Amino acid sequence: MAAATASTWGWAPRGWWLLIPMAFSVLLYALSCTRSPWAAWWLGWTFGTASQLVGHRWMYTAMTTKAGMDSLGATLQFCVLALYLGLSTGLAALVWKALHRKHGQDGNPGGLALSAVSFAVLITLAEWARSVAFGGFSSLSVGYAFTDTWMRGYMPIGGVWCASFAVLLTTALACQIPWMASRRQQALALIIAIGVVAGGAGLTEINWVQASGLPLSYRLLQPNVAQDLKFDPNHITQQLEALTRHLESERADIILTPETAVPLFFTQLPAGMTERWQARSATGNSHLFVGMPMLDEAGRAHNAMLHLSPDTQALAAYHKVRLMPFGEYTPKGLEWTTRDLALPLKDLVPGSLDQASFQGPAHQGIGVLMCQEELMGEDARRAAAQAGVILNPSNLAWFDESAAIAQRLQIVRVRALEIGRPILRSANTGVTAHIDHTGEVKAAAPERRLTALSGMVQPMQGRTPYAALGDLPFLAVALGWLFVQASVTIRFRFASEHP
């Protein structure tokens, strides 16, 4: 548990990434000392739960300080969530021990090197599995912590999962070297580990995408509205006026507000407000993107991004596809968990997957990646399919002054690397930033301040391997490896028991 706890300092904001391979080395050694798959499962579950409890403790803070939950209820629900998220690591440990029960050259077909590969495959698969449940919890995946290292070179190839696998494979091989039977095996393992690191360094030199057209000017608004005031009826009129003045103050090709910058449904806007925005768009030749909740024709509520174009009076909207569980919707059967929480938009409906990109300045496609959607590479692929620039409106005021702010910026940087597109991020209280297609933060506004970030962004075209193929290659290779390893292990044990 100590290793799991310390590993959480490897991600932003501390960024002590070396702690992560050290922690997983401890886990691998401990698993090799267990006597049964079920003992390994318990050990892996404990490790995973501890890392989730410490690494996601900002969720507990948001429950009590922002959502109005009592301490006992928040503690219970947060612990249950951490136990659930830790299950994936426990299952990975169980399968690893079942495949490599005799952890040594005398009883393990293929020896320690293959067990190292299986360890990396299974832990990475556990991360992927955790990311697809309940709308996605991909934060604290290993690859995110290595955004500023050579391992970033693997992200345009196979996404964050490829980077996680590369780190875990290098870690596992290095951990196994002292116990390998011969110097030849040790040398081969060391060469492979060094090759993985060198391969990542070489991949960083490849330009997967190219510039598309001329740079566009942008203004990213940061209203800095406290979460407890955002939906306060006594404060809404003041917010709308301040936001409109912000929209009208300076022109830019792209003007972006955060998610739910307007705390009213579109149909509740004061008379003339939309016309003011349209006039601003027309006179400044600006494309305005305004976050607000909207109702569709069937009366279902969506978290949306409204697009006002100087080229037409028609309004376009994007409806957020991936909603935050227990914040914007509640999974069926768990409604009791949010019944008494102060969540103003907790019954939303996801948008459709086939929404087209916006037509932006200079006929550039503009994709949208709204808040929770930034956690999934597949959502970024969808946003980038017909777009040269990605907009990332967000509202993380729920998690102010916590590690979540830096962690989510780190995640968005990985999304930019994966798809080879610049991302313009507008967050209510921060971090508002311009991230280029290589994942570098080109400019950022100070947190918790009313401001706007202005600059120029270069649209990009072309596709990275990950943008073209997504998670499927990693999943196919990982599952294929496990199938082959399981087949070999079964045959080996059968032959041992029936000579």
Side-chain angles (χ1 to χ4, degrees), residues 106-124:
D106 58 336
N108 180 12
L112 296 174
L114 295 187
S115 74
V117 177
S118 294
F119 179 80
V121 165
L122 285 163
I123 295 297
T124 308

Side-chain angles (χ1 to χ4, degrees), residues 25 31 86 102 128 163 183 187 196 220 225 262 301 353 360 419 422 498:
S25 294
L31 290 175
K102 294 182 179 179
W128 177 85
R183 291 184 179 275
V196 171
L220 312 178
V225 179
V262 177
L353 290 170
I419 60 176
H498 302 83

Side-chain angles (χ1 to χ4, degrees), residues 457-489:
V457 61
Q458 174 62 63
M460 305 301 291
Q461 61 183 349
R463 293 199 293 179
T464 64
Y466 182 78
L469 300 172
D471 295 340
L472 288 179
F474 162 72
L475 293 175
V477 171
L479 294 175
W481 169 268
L482 293 180
F483 176 79
V484 171
Q485 187 62 36
S487 300
V488 171
T489 300

Side-chain angles (χ1 to χ4, degrees), residues 413-438:
R413 292 180 60 199
V414 172
R415 296 290 89 87
L417 265 167
E418 289 174 337
I419 60 176
R421 293 292 185 272
I423 296 180
L424 300 178
R425 177 174 176 82
S426 176
N428 176 18
T429 56
V431 176
T432 295
H434 168 201
I435 302 160
D436 73 8
H437 66 284
T438 68

Side-chain angles (χ1 to χ4, degrees), residues 20 24 28 38 49 57 62 85 88 159 170 191 236 238 253 260 354 366 376 386 398 402 413 426 433 435 479 488 497:
I20 296 174
F24 278 98
L28 178 57
W38 291 110
T49 300
R57 62 190 179 276
L85 294 175
S88 61
T170 305
I191 290 171
I236 287 177
Q238 178 183 344
D253 295 325
T260 59
D354 60 352
I366 304 293
M376 294 294 289
Q386 298 176 329
W398 294 96
S402 75
R413 292 180 60 199
S426 176
I435 302 160
L479 294 175
V488 171
E497 295 170 2

Side-chain angles (χ1 to χ4, degrees), residues 5-26:
T5 300
S7 73
T8 60
W9 291 347
W11 287 272
R14 288 183 174 88
W16 301 345
W17 53 265
L18 191 60
L19 291 173
I20 296 174
M22 292 172 63
F24 278 98
S25 294
V26 172

